[in-house]
Every structure is written in structure tokens, then in C-alpha cells.
Amino acid sequence: MNLLLKNVAQHISLTSEEENHLLSLTELRRYPAKSILLNSGDICTHSYFVNSGVLRSFTINDNIVEHVLNFACSGWWIADFYSLISQKPGSLFIDAIEDTEVVLLSKENQNQLYRDIPKFERFFRILVENSLVANQQRIMDNLSMTAEERYAQFLKRYPNLANQIPQKHLASYIGVTPEFFSKMKASYLKRL
């Protein structure tokens, strides 16, 4: 839980009493690799803070092709935010790429935090703003960069994450097939 408190401390200061209250509203859970934490069509009732391991959110199209939207490694948050905020069925799956330990915070307990410790509204606003900025940048990258440039940008932004993610998931994230990704990566690495 120390990692969660460090994450929160990056944006707001808590007293030890407030820290204990936060921890009392969370649940620690472990998931083996390939576990599904959230299914498409379900209502997302929790946000997940990753202590260790890697999660991914993805959707599956009509042709049964996966499209990876996000990854979350140690120290990151993930959820189907549309579903979590609206409390309507979502369109994302969330699964564990490797054995993962997460801290669960339910929507209900998040709202309780807002009532009990109002500065948590600021904390979660900052998280949502950062997510919005990252998603906008990703859209801009997808519109203006080649696949190789998107791969190079991913490596620059998340240098350690690339080693934890199977190539097929990274290929999906940057928007190419695994076969194209393999050739592109080999070509890219030759030029380094």
C-alpha cells in the first residue's frame, strides 16, 4: 500500500489519519496472468491501482481483432472510465498480462472519499486530466506519425514497459498487425 500512498502524495498531502481512511476503503487483490478483471458489457465498479505486474484495457471488434487502448504497470491507475463514471455497461476488457497485484477502489468508496476528504476530488481530477492529455496525444500521434515513429515514441515515453508487454499487444497498441510489427521492429533496431 506504500506505492498507493506515494502515488497520492504526488498530488495531494494527507495526514496519517487520512491515509488510514483511504486504505480502509481499498482492497488488495492478486490476479494470475491472463485473468480477466473486467468484461466488455459489464459495468465497471472499481478503478485499479497497480502495485506490481501489468494490466491492459482492450476492445474486440466484429472481426474478433483486439485493439489495445491502454497499459497500466506498477504505480498506474486503470479502469473503463466511461463505464465507471456513467455506471453504464462498458466496452472494454481489462486483463492481467502477467501476475499482478492491484489495489481496488470501488466507485462507492471513491465517492465516500470525496465526502470525507474533499481534496481527493482534486487528486482524481488531476488523474483524469492527465489521462485526457495522454489520450489526446495518442490520437494526434496516430493521425500524424508512421507506425515506426509511434513505436519509437512508445519506447521513449515508456522505456521499461516495452520489455513487459508481449509484442502482439504492443503491435495492437500502435495499430499494426503482429507480422508487420515484427518486420518493422527488426528494421528499426538495425538502424540504431
Side-chain angles (χ1 to χ4, degrees), residues 12-13 17 37 68 83 113 128 134 138 147 151 165:
I12 60 173
S13 297
E17 182 180 287
L37 285 68
V68 175
S83 179
L113 275 174
V128 169
R138 181 159 178 231
Y151 175 61
I165 299 169

Side-chain angles (χ1 to χ4, degrees), residues 112-181:
Q112 186 66 46
L113 275 174
Y114 295 162
R115 289 187 294 273
D116 297 344
I117 309 170
K119 57 187 151 185
F120 268 103
E121 288 198 23
R122 178 178 188 275
F123 173 74
F124 284 104
R125 176 186 51 80
I126 291 169
L127 289 185
V128 169
E129 287 174 351
N130 289 342
S131 176
L132 178 64
V133 168
N135 283 324
Q136 180 177 320
Q137 186 60 55
R138 181 159 178 231
I139 291 168
M140 298 292 288
D141 290 351
N142 284 344
L143 294 172
S144 63
M145 294 179 160
T146 66
E148 189 173 297
E149 290 168 333
R150 291 192 305 272
Y151 175 61
Q153 189 70 278
F154 183 89
L155 294 175
K156 182 179 174 184
R157 286 185 184 137
Y158 316 111
N160 299 324
L161 189 55
N163 296 327
Q164 293 179 270
I165 299 169
Q167 279 196 164
K168 66 180 182 178
H169 297 325
L170 188 47
S172 174
Y173 181 83
I174 65 168
V176 298
T177 65
E179 297 78 19
F180 180 85
F181 180 79

Side-chain angles (χ1 to χ4, degrees), residues 7 9 13-14 57 71 110 115 128 143 174 176 182 184 190:
N7 180 264
S13 297
L14 298 177
S57 65
F71 298 106
Q110 184 174 338
R115 289 187 294 273
V128 169
L143 294 172
I174 65 168
V176 298
S182 184
M184 180 202 68
K190 280 182 187 176

Side-chain angles (χ1 to χ4, degrees), residues 57-68:
S57 65
F58 63 100
T59 188
I60 299 175
N61 71 13
D62 292 340
N63 296 325
I64 313 174
V65 175
E66 292 182 4
H67 297 281
V68 175

